[in-house]
């Protein structure tokens, strides 16, 4: 029940537009975070021989260059994030609004962030714009300022549009667009300048410094070392959860308390005394921050042990090397943990429990107190040994790692459940988009740059494998005549996906057509359908036919008539037993190849049929141009024919036209007896729908054949 409530709360939070913009921004900046993490590891690799070798090979300035790479990524993370959050906020806010171009939003968000973040205490001509005013210490400020600026900019654009304040008399389109964003840009930046002025008036020249001073003051009245360590850990983790660099903001506590405690221990040992302090900086680094803030190395182990979620596993593999050296920005911003309600509990709880375990082990004398200054990038187990100069330190780290991994497990499972649910929702959106899009309009799903395009591309990549594994199969829906005798089975392709279950044909056919795989899939359908018909005819159903759907794109394949000829010869099926249905909603085209293919198919003796007849603009053109022998009335006219008189009139006209040309008329989507009776009175010849039968597996069709 508790975890269900967390999942529900997380779902609600994730649906907020701002949270979506923040998540998209972190994912967009992932390459920069990965690059910065690797640069940080290269710079601080904790092996003396490595540092000496780098010094010999590249000189004394090699670290300056390496740190430059870090500063250009993590050092500018706040600035980069302000631009990306502003961009995605504006895009998501205006995606359903016509005539609003938020293209300038990221630049305005970056400038708004600079107005708020720049430390005015430095001399303007020297170092007023420093990297430390733009880095991850200012992430929360970057997020808040970019959201506010983007929302304000879009709001002003919308108001300007509603008021009709347009620059209508400028013939230069680019200049006209520039003038249209002029007023919203000015007003947004002026608003942030006024906000910064208010902060200065309140004697807050640097928000981060102000926040650091306020939080540090909370520790002045704490005299219990364990309580101080717990409070520091909780507060640092909360800051990290909101994207703030907890250790940087709480640096006065680290430097003024934990480092001083270490020096006191070293001094005591030097005079043959007993180290007085348990909690020191190496103690905190080695036993509460395994893999970085939040002890995220435990989370990586949990991901590897669960191994079922590919995205998390891929991230864990990328994050493993940096996390070994306690650089965990890839996990923090990539999973993400920042602003992810599911992980706030273990992210805070795990380091606190690790602190208590290590403190208790030291207090009872099992583990020695730290008396050595240990670099924070030293990997787990080695750091435990060097901090305590004892194997007992390694054992406590192993215990902490096990406990932390176990605590992260249920929340990781929740994260995977939520990720699966979110992905399913996006898949459902893709299905809805395809099913409600006019059939005459090409969607170009594989060219989309959003999550729907990614899902479509993933399905396109899986098609060939799915075809080989037998995930594609045929079901058969029967057609009967006015005497309730079976005349034909329509072969319907299905794809049973390992994750999504049965994928709607409208979706995978659209993707197959766009990816060019429709030809191989279509040939497989022809093979399976003809082989099944041959089997039925051998069992005694000599006059039975099979109807097979063709994509108009297949008619552009010059090899199609030869492929069908080979299949007919192999199965010894008469061509008249095959109906080829072509969807009327998709334009056939009038190119020479299509003409030759259709003519060749007709010359083979195959029967051609128009599916969804009567709703497209090309029906009559097809009837005049090609040799069709059957039409299937569009289902939208059939569904309400027993309730709407005008549907009867339209169908009557279509039937009259088809009969006059000696076409067989098929009515599909028959669900009620009254529909069939009306259609029979109008002159239809064959019927198909759930009133007659649902689509059947091949093994069930023979029983249906015997009954009819």
């Amino acid at each position: 029940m508790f975890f269900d409530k967390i999942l529900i709360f997380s779902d609600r939070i994730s649906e907020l537009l701002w949270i979506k913009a923040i998540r998209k921004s972190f994912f967009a900046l992932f390459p920069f975070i990965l690059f910065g993490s690797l640069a940080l590891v290269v710079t601080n690799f904790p092996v003396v021989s490595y540092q000496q070798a780098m010094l010999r090979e590249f000189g004394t300035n090699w670290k300056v260059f390496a740190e430059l790479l870090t500063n250009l990524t993590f050092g500018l993370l706040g600035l980069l994030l302000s631009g990306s959050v502003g961009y995605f906020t504006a895009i998501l806010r205006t995606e359903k609004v016509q005539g609003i171009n938020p293209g300038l939003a990221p630049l305005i968000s970056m400038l708004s962030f600079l107005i708020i973040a720049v430390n005015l205490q430095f001399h303007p001509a020297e170092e007023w714009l420093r990297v430390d005013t733009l880095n991850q210490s200012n992430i929360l400020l970057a997020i808040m300022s970019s959201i506010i600026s983007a929302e304000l900019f879009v709001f002003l654009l919308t108001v300007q549009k509603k008021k009709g304040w347009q620059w209508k008399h400028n013939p230069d389109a680019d200049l006209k667009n520039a003038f249209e964003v002029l007023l919203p840009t000015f007003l947004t930046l002026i608003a942030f300048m006024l906000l910064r002025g208010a902060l200065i008036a309140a004697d807050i020249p640097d928000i981060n410094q102000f926040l650091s001073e306020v939080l540090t003051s909370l520790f002045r009245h704490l005299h219990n070392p364990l309580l101080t360590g717990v409070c520091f850990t909780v507060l640092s983790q909360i800051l990290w959860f909101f994207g703030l660099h907890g250790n940087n903001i709480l640096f006065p506590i680290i430097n003024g308390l934990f480092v001083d405690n270490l020096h006191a221990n070293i001094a005591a040992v030097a005079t043959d005394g007993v180290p007085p302090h348990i909690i020191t900086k190496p103690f905190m680094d080695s036993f509460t921050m395994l893999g970085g803030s939040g002890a995220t190395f435990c989370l990586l182990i949990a991901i590897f042990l669960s191994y079922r979620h590919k995205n998390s596993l891929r991230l864990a593999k990328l994050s493993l090397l940096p996390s070994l050296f306690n650089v965990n920005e890839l996990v923090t911003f990539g999973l993400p943990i920042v602003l992810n309600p599911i992980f706030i509990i273990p992210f805070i709880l795990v380091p606190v429990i690790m602190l208590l375990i290590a403190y208790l082990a030291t207090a009872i004398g099992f583990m020695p107190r730290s008396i050595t200054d240990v670099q924070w990038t030293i990997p787990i187990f080695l750091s435990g040994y060097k901090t305590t100069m004892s194997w007992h330190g390694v054992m406590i780290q192993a215990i902490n790692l096990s406990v932390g991994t176990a605590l992260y497990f249920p929340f990781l499972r929740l994260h995977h459940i939520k990720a699966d649910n979110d992905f399913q929702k996006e898949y459902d959106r893709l299905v809805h988009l395809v099913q409600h899009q006019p059939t005459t309009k090409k969607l170009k799903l594989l060219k989309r740059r959003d999550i729907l395009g990614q899902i479509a591309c993933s399905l396109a990549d899986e098609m060939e494998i799915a075809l080989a594994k037998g995930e594609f199969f045929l079901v058969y829906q029967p057609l009967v005549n006015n005497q309730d005798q079976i005349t034909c089975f329509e072969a319907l392709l299905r794809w049973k996906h390992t994750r999504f279950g049965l994928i709607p044909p409208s979706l995978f056919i659209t993707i197959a057509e766009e990816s060019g795989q429709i030809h191989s899939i279509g040939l497989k359908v022809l093979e399976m359908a003809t082989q099944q018909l041959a089997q039925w005819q051998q069992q005694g159903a000599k006059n039975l036919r099979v109807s097979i759907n063709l994509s108009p794109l297949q008619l552009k394949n010059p090899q199609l008539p030869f492929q069908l000829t080979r299949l007919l010869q192999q199965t010894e099926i008469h061509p008249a037993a095959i109906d080829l249905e072509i969807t009327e909603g998709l334009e056939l085209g009038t190119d020479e190849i299509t003409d030759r293919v259709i003519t060749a198919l007709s010359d083979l003796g195959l029967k051609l049929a128009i599916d969804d007849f009567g709703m497209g603009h090309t029906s009559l053109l097809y009837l005049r141009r090609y040799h069709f022998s059957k039409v299937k009335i569009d289902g939208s006219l059939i569904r309400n024919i027993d309730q709407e008189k005008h549907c009867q009139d339209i169908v009557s006209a279509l039937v009259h036209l088809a009969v006059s040309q000696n076409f067989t008329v098929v009515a599909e989507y028959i669900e009620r007896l009254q529909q069939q009776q009306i259609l029979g009175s109008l002159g239809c010849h064959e019927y198909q729908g759930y009133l007659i039968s649902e689509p059947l597996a091949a093994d069930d069709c023979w029983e249906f054949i015997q009954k009819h």
Side-chain angles (χ1 to χ4, degrees):
M1 183 64 69
F2 171 70
F3 290 115
D4 290 340
K5 290 182 178 179
I6 294 178
L7 191 59
I8 293 171
F9 176 72
S10 179
D11 284 337
R12 291 176 179 175
I13 292 295
S14 65
E15 290 300 316
L16 297 176
L17 181 144
W18 298 341
I19 298 298
K20 289 181 179 179
I22 294 169
R23 286 177 59 85
K24 287 178 178 292
S25 299
F26 281 133
F27 290 141
L29 295 178
F30 187 81
F32 298 98
I33 298 172
L34 175 59
F35 186 83
S37 298
L38 295 177
L40 199 58
V41 170
V42 169
T43 307
N44 297 281
F45 195 73
V47 176
V48 175
S49 58
Y50 163 81
Q51 296 287 342
Q52 293 174 345
M54 294 295 286
L55 186 65
R56 288 195 306 270
E57 294 294 330
F58 301 106
T60 56
N61 291 326
W62 81 270
K63 270 200 172 183
V64 175
F65 179 74
E67 289 172 354
L68 174 63
L69 299 179
T70 305
N71 288 336
L72 290 175
T73 49
F74 289 151
L76 296 178
L77 190 58
L79 182 63
L80 296 173
L81 193 63
S82 67
S84 60
V85 171
Y87 169 76
F88 286 113
T89 300
I91 289 296
L92 292 173
R93 182 64 69 190
T94 61
E95 62 182 358
K96 296 182 180 179
V97 181
Q98 299 294 327
I100 298 293
N101 181 12
L104 204 60
L107 297 178
I108 295 172
S109 295
M110 293 173 73
L111 190 53
S112 300
F113 167 63
L114 290 175
I115 291 173
I116 294 294
V118 166
N119 192 332
L120 298 179
Q121 288 184 326
F122 296 109
H123 192 281
E126 296 176 1
E127 48 183 0
W128 66 276
L129 184 59
R130 304 192 338 174
V131 168
D132 60 7
T133 67
L134 309 176
N135 63 16
Q136 61 261 52
S137 297
N138 270 312
I139 282 179
L140 183 61
L141 183 60
I143 291 173
M144 294 178 63
S145 64
S146 58
I147 288 175
I148 294 172
S149 64
E151 291 282 11
L152 181 58
F153 178 66
V154 170
F155 170 76
L156 293 172
L157 278 175
T158 306
V159 170
Q160 179 176 269
K161 178 178 173 59
K162 289 181 178 179
K163 296 293 185 181
W165 299 337
Q166 304 283 333
W167 300 84
K168 301 179 180 179
H169 304 294
N170 197 315
D172 190 316
D174 292 333
L175 190 59
K176 177 176 177 293
N177 292 335
F179 274 109
E180 284 183 348
V181 299
L182 191 62
L183 183 60
T185 300
F186 275 23
L187 292 178
T188 302
L189 296 179
I190 288 172
F192 273 82
M193 291 174 67
L194 293 175
L195 177 60
R196 185 58 191 265
L199 291 173
I200 294 174
D203 196 26
I204 306 177
D206 186 326
I207 294 180
N208 274 335
Q209 182 179 344
F210 172 77
L211 179 62
S212 178
E213 291 173 354
V214 170
L215 295 177
T216 302
S217 65
L218 300 177
F219 289 83
R220 291 173 183 167
H221 305 292
L222 294 178
H223 303 293
N224 184 295
L226 178 59
L227 181 61
T228 301
V230 170
C231 290
F232 170 86
T233 303
V234 171
L235 188 55
S236 177
Q237 298 310 112
I238 292 174
L239 292 172
W240 265 110
F241 179 79
F242 286 99
L244 298 170
H245 199 302
N247 288 357
N248 283 0
I249 292 176
L250 300 178
F251 180 75
I253 300 172
I254 297 174
N255 196 49
L257 182 61
F258 300 149
V259 174
D260 287 350
N261 287 353
L262 174 64
H263 292 162
N265 283 359
I266 294 174
V269 171
T271 57
D272 296 328
V274 178
H277 300 290
I278 295 178
I279 298 180
T280 64
K281 185 178 183 302
F283 176 91
M284 297 294 287
D285 290 341
S286 300
F287 298 104
T288 69
M289 303 297 175
L290 303 182
S293 296
T296 50
F297 196 78
C298 300
L299 176 58
L300 292 184
I301 299 300
I303 292 174
F304 281 116
L305 292 177
S306 64
Y307 68 83
R308 74 175 190 88
H309 206 277
K310 292 182 179 179
N311 288 338
S312 296
L313 191 59
R314 190 177 297 115
L315 176 68
K317 290 176 180 178
L318 289 173
S319 306
L320 182 60
L321 178 61
S323 292
L324 284 172
F325 302 97
N326 301 314
V327 178
N328 70 337
E329 276 80 0
L330 276 177
V331 184
T332 307
F333 300 118
L335 195 58
I337 292 175
V338 172
L339 296 176
N340 187 340
I342 288 178
F343 284 115
I344 186 171
I345 293 176
F347 192 67
I348 296 173
L349 185 62
V350 169
V352 171
I353 292 179
M354 288 182 169
L355 171 64
L356 296 176
I357 292 174
Y359 189 92
L360 177 62
T362 308
I364 64 176
F366 178 79
M367 184 172 71
R369 303 186 181 194
S370 56
I371 56 173
T372 307
D373 189 6
V374 179
Q375 189 176 351
W376 64 273
T377 54
I378 292 181
I380 185 175
F381 301 139
L382 180 59
S383 62
Y385 179 80
K386 295 193 63 134
T387 297
T388 61
M389 300 307 294
S390 166
W391 288 106
H392 288 183
V394 177
M395 294 174 62
I396 294 301
Q397 279 191 323
I399 293 172
N400 278 355
L401 185 63
S402 302
V403 171
T405 301
L407 289 173
Y408 264 115
F409 245 115
F411 297 94
L412 177 65
R413 182 173 178 273
L414 276 186
H415 173 73
H416 287 163
I417 292 173
K418 183 181 181 306
D420 290 340
N421 291 343
D422 291 344
F423 195 74
Q424 183 65 44
K425 289 178 182 177
E426 296 300 334
Y427 167 76
D428 293 340
R429 279 183 57 209
L430 179 63
V431 172
H432 183 272
L433 173 66
V434 172
Q435 292 181 337
H436 292 79
Q437 192 75 13
T439 54
T440 53
K441 184 176 180 180
K442 294 182 179 180
L443 289 173
K444 297 183 179 179
L445 298 177
L446 303 183
K447 293 184 178 180
R448 292 177 66 111
R449 307 302 297 176
D450 56 4
I451 182 63
L452 301 189
Q454 294 173 20
I455 296 174
C457 290
S458 177
L459 291 174
D461 293 338
E462 295 176 41
M463 276 186 177
E464 185 175 354
I465 299 175
L467 198 62
K469 291 170 61 177
E471 292 180 12
F472 283 100
F473 62 96
L474 291 181
V475 293
Y476 300 87
Q477 189 168 27
L479 285 74
V480 298
N481 58 19
N482 286 305
Q483 289 75 44
D484 198 34
Q485 296 171 333
I486 184 170
T487 59
C488 181
F489 276 103
E490 180 180 3
L492 300 171
L493 183 63
R494 298 291 184 261
W495 181 8
K496 190 172 183 180
H497 192 270
T498 53
R499 178 170 186 175
F500 299 120
L502 286 175
I503 295 180
S506 56
L507 174 58
F508 69 73
I509 292 298
T510 299
I511 295 174
E513 288 177 338
E514 188 176 347
S515 65
Q517 299 181 75
I518 190 64
H519 300 290
S520 58
I521 292 175
L523 179 59
K524 185 66 174 179
V525 170
L526 291 171
E527 291 176 353
M528 291 190 293
T530 52
Q531 290 170 2
Q532 184 60 62
L533 178 59
Q535 180 180 336
W536 287 331
Q537 289 185 349
Q538 290 170 5
Q539 291 175 292
K542 299 296 184 182
N543 297 323
L544 191 64
R545 306 193 319 273
V546 165
S547 178
I548 304 171
N549 292 280
L550 287 184
S551 165
L553 294 180
Q554 290 177 262
L555 298 175
K556 297 181 182 295
N557 177 17
Q559 298 302 314
L560 181 61
F562 302 102
Q563 294 169 346
L564 270 166
T565 300
R566 176 177 54 82
L567 291 174
L568 292 173
Q569 291 172 347
Q570 290 175 350
T571 56
E572 299 181 351
I573 292 176
H574 193 278
I578 302 294
D579 295 347
L580 298 178
E581 291 188 23
I582 304 167
T583 303
E584 192 270 334
L586 291 174
E587 189 171 351
L588 278 177
T590 57
D591 58 279
E592 184 180 350
I593 295 178
T594 302
D595 282 347
R596 289 205 307 266
V597 170
I598 293 180
T599 301
L601 295 175
S602 181
D603 291 343
L604 284 174
L606 300 163
K607 293 184 178 181
L608 302 181
I610 296 180
D611 196 8
D612 298 334
F613 179 73
M615 295 305 291
H617 64 282
T618 53
S619 301
L620 297 179
L621 174 62
Y622 292 171
L623 294 181
R624 180 180 64 85
R625 188 177 184 91
Y626 303 115
H627 299 289
F628 287 94
S629 58
K630 178 190 288 190
V631 294
K632 296 182 74 171
I633 304 297
D634 187 270
S636 62
L637 296 172
I638 303 298
R639 287 190 178 95
N640 297 321
I641 197 168
D642 56 344
Q643 301 170 6
E644 299 178 6
K645 181 64 169 58
H646 71 277
C647 286
Q648 297 181 26
D649 295 336
I650 296 173
V651 171
S652 177
L654 293 173
V655 171
H656 178 75
L657 173 64
V659 171
S660 68
Q661 300 296 316
N662 296 319
F663 294 152
T664 299
V665 180
V666 180
E668 53 185 350
Y669 295 102
I670 304 298
E671 298 176 350
R672 298 178 294 277
L673 181 59
Q674 189 176 1
Q675 290 174 313
Q676 185 176 3
Q677 292 171 344
I678 293 173
L679 289 161
S681 67
L682 294 176
C684 289
H685 304 109
E686 296 179 351
Y687 309 92
Q688 180 183 18
Y690 276 75
L691 178 66
I692 291 93
S693 172
E694 63 182 356
L696 302 171
D699 294 339
D700 298 326
C701 290
W702 186 246
E703 181 180 350
F704 188 89
I705 292 172
Q706 291 177 317
K707 289 181 179 180
H708 291 74

